[in-house]
């Protein structure tokens, strides 16, 4: 692996961001519960919905993930399916929204495992706090993700966190590209 993570600033414009946020609210599945990491503090409003509702908006992102995976990560990945779930996360300052260090990789009981996590900053307004960190021997602040429309991709087994939001609200979309278990 050449890089621990890959980011791209301003991948999405504000019009697309507003459309994704609207779709997340309209199509959230009230019967699906967020599978947050065990024993990890997370204060966040999570709307879970199927990829099929935003496929037309995220197809170019998935092509980009495939390209970056070929160039940077080199993982065996399954294609996204219409039924894969996405997490629309809103971290609010009034409750100091945050998510402490955790990993996204799934347990060995599952047939597939999360290999690449992709986060999109969908915040429509400026916020303070809510910084994104990846831990690799030390805290690495990924300040580029604070820009609306920016994305980051990283191996799902890397520890990462969102610090408390201190003003406004931070909105992000999390999607996972899965594949067969690592060999």
């Amino acid at each position: 692996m050449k890089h621990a993570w890959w980011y791209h600033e301003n991948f999405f414009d504000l019009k697309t961001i507003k459309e994704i946020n609207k779709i997340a609210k309209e199509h959230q599945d009230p019967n699906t519960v967020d599978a947050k990491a065990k024993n990890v503090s997370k204060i966040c409003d999570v709307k879970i919905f199927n990829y099929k509702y935003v496929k037309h908006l995220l197809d170019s992102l998935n092509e980009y993930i495939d390209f970056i995976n070929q160039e940077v990560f080199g993982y065996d990945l399954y294609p996204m399916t219409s039924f894969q779930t996405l997490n629309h996360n809103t971290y609010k300052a009034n409750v100091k929204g945050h998510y402490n260090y955790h990993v996204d990789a799934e347990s060995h009981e599952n047939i597939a495992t999360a290999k690449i996590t992709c986060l999109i900053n969908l915040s429509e307004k400026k916020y303070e706090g809510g910084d994104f960190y990846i831990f690799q021997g030390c805290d690495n602040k990924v300040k580029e993700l604070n820009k609306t429309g920016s994305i980051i991709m990283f191996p799902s087994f890397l520890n990462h966190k969102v610090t408390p939001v201190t003003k406004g609200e931070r909105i992000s979309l999390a999607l996972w590209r899965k594949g067969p278990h690592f060999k």
Side-chain angles (χ1 to χ4, degrees), residues 37-49:
K38 292 178 183 174
N39 303 318
V40 175
S41 176
K42 179 180 186 181
I43 299 175
C44 177
D45 175 34
V46 181
K47 293 174 179 53
I48 299 173
F49 64 101

PDB file of all heavy atoms in Angstrom, residues 37-49:
ATOM      1  N   ALA A  37     -19.369   1.109  16.379  1.00  0.00           N
ATOM      2  CA  ALA A  37     -18.344   0.267  16.983  1.00  0.00           C
ATOM      3  C   ALA A  37     -18.670   0.023  18.459  1.00  0.00           C
ATOM      4  O   ALA A  37     -19.128   0.923  19.167  1.00  0.00           O
ATOM      5  CB  ALA A  37     -16.984   0.933  16.830  1.00  0.00           C
ATOM      6  N   LYS A  38     -18.418  -1.183  18.918  1.00  0.00           N
ATOM      7  CA  LYS A  38     -18.725  -1.549  20.301  1.00  0.00           C
ATOM      8  C   LYS A  38     -17.807  -0.799  21.269  1.00  0.00           C
ATOM      9  O   LYS A  38     -16.619  -0.611  21.003  1.00  0.00           O
ATOM     10  CB  LYS A  38     -18.560  -3.052  20.499  1.00  0.00           C
ATOM     11  CG  LYS A  38     -19.594  -3.854  19.752  1.00  0.00           C
ATOM     12  CD  LYS A  38     -19.386  -5.338  19.932  1.00  0.00           C
ATOM     13  CE  LYS A  38     -20.420  -6.075  19.106  1.00  0.00           C
ATOM     14  NZ  LYS A  38     -20.221  -7.500  19.115  1.00  0.00           N
ATOM     15  N   ASN A  39     -18.394  -0.399  22.399  1.00  0.00           N
ATOM     16  CA  ASN A  39     -17.652   0.259  23.481  1.00  0.00           C
ATOM     17  C   ASN A  39     -16.962   1.544  23.043  1.00  0.00           C
ATOM     18  O   ASN A  39     -15.911   1.891  23.565  1.00  0.00           O
ATOM     19  CB  ASN A  39     -16.633  -0.705  24.107  1.00  0.00           C
ATOM     20  CG  ASN A  39     -17.294  -1.962  24.625  1.00  0.00           C
ATOM     21  OD1 ASN A  39     -18.358  -1.904  25.236  1.00  0.00           O
ATOM     22  ND2 ASN A  39     -16.691  -3.110  24.353  1.00  0.00           N
ATOM     23  N   VAL A  40     -17.535   2.232  22.053  1.00  0.00           N
ATOM     24  CA  VAL A  40     -16.965   3.481  21.556  1.00  0.00           C
ATOM     25  C   VAL A  40     -18.032   4.565  21.655  1.00  0.00           C
ATOM     26  O   VAL A  40     -19.173   4.347  21.243  1.00  0.00           O
ATOM     27  CB  VAL A  40     -16.490   3.337  20.085  1.00  0.00           C
ATOM     28  CG1 VAL A  40     -16.008   4.661  19.527  1.00  0.00           C
ATOM     29  CG2 VAL A  40     -15.403   2.289  19.982  1.00  0.00           C
ATOM     30  N   SER A  41     -17.659   5.717  22.176  1.00  0.00           N
ATOM     31  CA  SER A  41     -18.611   6.820  22.310  1.00  0.00           C
ATOM     32  C   SER A  41     -18.899   7.440  20.943  1.00  0.00           C
ATOM     33  O   SER A  41     -17.989   7.792  20.199  1.00  0.00           O
ATOM     34  CB  SER A  41     -18.031   7.885  23.242  1.00  0.00           C
ATOM     35  OG  SER A  41     -18.904   8.989  23.313  1.00  0.00           O
ATOM     36  N   LYS A  42     -20.206   7.520  20.638  1.00  0.00           N
ATOM     37  CA  LYS A  42     -20.650   8.140  19.392  1.00  0.00           C
ATOM     38  C   LYS A  42     -21.918   8.925  19.682  1.00  0.00           C
ATOM     39  O   LYS A  42     -22.906   8.361  20.150  1.00  0.00           O
ATOM     40  CB  LYS A  42     -20.922   7.088  18.318  1.00  0.00           C
ATOM     41  CG  LYS A  42     -21.418   7.683  16.997  1.00  0.00           C
ATOM     42  CD  LYS A  42     -21.673   6.599  15.958  1.00  0.00           C
ATOM     43  CE  LYS A  42     -22.033   7.182  14.612  1.00  0.00           C
ATOM     44  NZ  LYS A  42     -22.313   6.157  13.603  1.00  0.00           N
ATOM     45  N   ILE A  43     -21.852  10.235  19.437  1.00  0.00           N
ATOM     46  CA  ILE A  43     -23.034  11.075  19.551  1.00  0.00           C
ATOM     47  C   ILE A  43     -23.257  11.670  18.171  1.00  0.00           C
ATOM     48  O   ILE A  43     -22.499  12.533  17.721  1.00  0.00           O
ATOM     49  CB  ILE A  43     -22.862  12.173  20.615  1.00  0.00           C
ATOM     50  CG1 ILE A  43     -22.637  11.544  21.993  1.00  0.00           C
ATOM     51  CG2 ILE A  43     -24.086  13.093  20.629  1.00  0.00           C
ATOM     52  CD1 ILE A  43     -22.345  12.534  23.092  1.00  0.00           C
ATOM     53  N   CYS A  44     -24.278  11.152  17.496  1.00  0.00           N
ATOM     54  CA  CYS A  44     -24.472  11.492  16.094  1.00  0.00           C
ATOM     55  C   CYS A  44     -25.863  11.032  15.670  1.00  0.00           C
ATOM     56  O   CYS A  44     -26.309   9.961  16.070  1.00  0.00           O
ATOM     57  CB  CYS A  44     -23.404  10.773  15.278  1.00  0.00           C
ATOM     58  SG  CYS A  44     -23.494  10.980  13.524  1.00  0.00           S
ATOM     59  N   ASP A  45     -26.534  11.851  14.869  1.00  0.00           N
ATOM     60  CA  ASP A  45     -27.809  11.453  14.284  1.00  0.00           C
ATOM     61  C   ASP A  45     -27.488  10.710  12.989  1.00  0.00           C
ATOM     62  O   ASP A  45     -26.867  11.272  12.090  1.00  0.00           O
ATOM     63  CB  ASP A  45     -28.662  12.693  13.998  1.00  0.00           C
ATOM     64  CG  ASP A  45     -29.959  12.361  13.285  1.00  0.00           C
ATOM     65  OD1 ASP A  45     -30.522  11.279  13.550  1.00  0.00           O
ATOM     66  OD2 ASP A  45     -30.401  13.172  12.461  1.00  0.00           O
ATOM     67  N   VAL A  46     -27.877   9.442  12.909  1.00  0.00           N
ATOM     68  CA  VAL A  46     -27.548   8.609  11.753  1.00  0.00           C
ATOM     69  C   VAL A  46     -28.819   8.232  11.001  1.00  0.00           C
ATOM     70  O   VAL A  46     -29.751   7.700  11.589  1.00  0.00           O
ATOM     71  CB  VAL A  46     -26.800   7.321  12.175  1.00  0.00           C
ATOM     72  CG1 VAL A  46     -26.435   6.486  10.955  1.00  0.00           C
ATOM     73  CG2 VAL A  46     -25.565   7.653  12.990  1.00  0.00           C
ATOM     74  N   LYS A  47     -28.821   8.536   9.721  1.00  0.00           N
ATOM     75  CA  LYS A  47     -29.899   8.103   8.835  1.00  0.00           C
ATOM     76  C   LYS A  47     -29.304   7.046   7.909  1.00  0.00           C
ATOM     77  O   LYS A  47     -28.316   7.299   7.231  1.00  0.00           O
ATOM     78  CB  LYS A  47     -30.443   9.279   8.026  1.00  0.00           C
ATOM     79  CG  LYS A  47     -31.163  10.312   8.870  1.00  0.00           C
ATOM     80  CD  LYS A  47     -31.543  11.507   8.031  1.00  0.00           C
ATOM     81  CE  LYS A  47     -32.284  12.552   8.822  1.00  0.00           C
ATOM     82  NZ  LYS A  47     -31.622  12.999  10.035  1.00  0.00           N
ATOM     83  N   ILE A  48     -29.898   5.863   7.893  1.00  0.00           N
ATOM     84  CA  ILE A  48     -29.396   4.767   7.070  1.00  0.00           C
ATOM     85  C   ILE A  48     -30.371   4.560   5.912  1.00  0.00           C
ATOM     86  O   ILE A  48     -31.586   4.513   6.115  1.00  0.00           O
ATOM     87  CB  ILE A  48     -29.242   3.488   7.911  1.00  0.00           C
ATOM     88  CG1 ILE A  48     -28.233   3.748   9.042  1.00  0.00           C
ATOM     89  CG2 ILE A  48     -28.815   2.312   7.040  1.00  0.00           C
ATOM     90  CD1 ILE A  48     -28.112   2.633  10.046  1.00  0.00           C
ATOM     91  N   PHE A  49     -29.817   4.463   4.714  1.00  0.00           N
ATOM     92  CA  PHE A  49     -30.659   4.270   3.532  1.00  0.00           C
ATOM     93  C   PHE A  49     -29.877   3.487   2.487  1.00  0.00           C
ATOM     94  O   PHE A  49     -28.666   3.337   2.585  1.00  0.00           O
ATOM     95  CB  PHE A  49     -31.157   5.617   2.976  1.00  0.00           C
ATOM     96  CG  PHE A  49     -30.070   6.518   2.472  1.00  0.00           C
ATOM     97  CD1 PHE A  49     -29.813   6.626   1.113  1.00  0.00           C
ATOM     98  CD2 PHE A  49     -29.304   7.273   3.346  1.00  0.00           C
ATOM     99  CE1 PHE A  49     -28.809   7.459   0.644  1.00  0.00           C
ATOM    100  CE2 PHE A  49     -28.304   8.111   2.886  1.00  0.00           C
ATOM    101  CZ  PHE A  49     -28.059   8.207   1.523  1.00  0.00           C
TER     102      PHE A  49
END
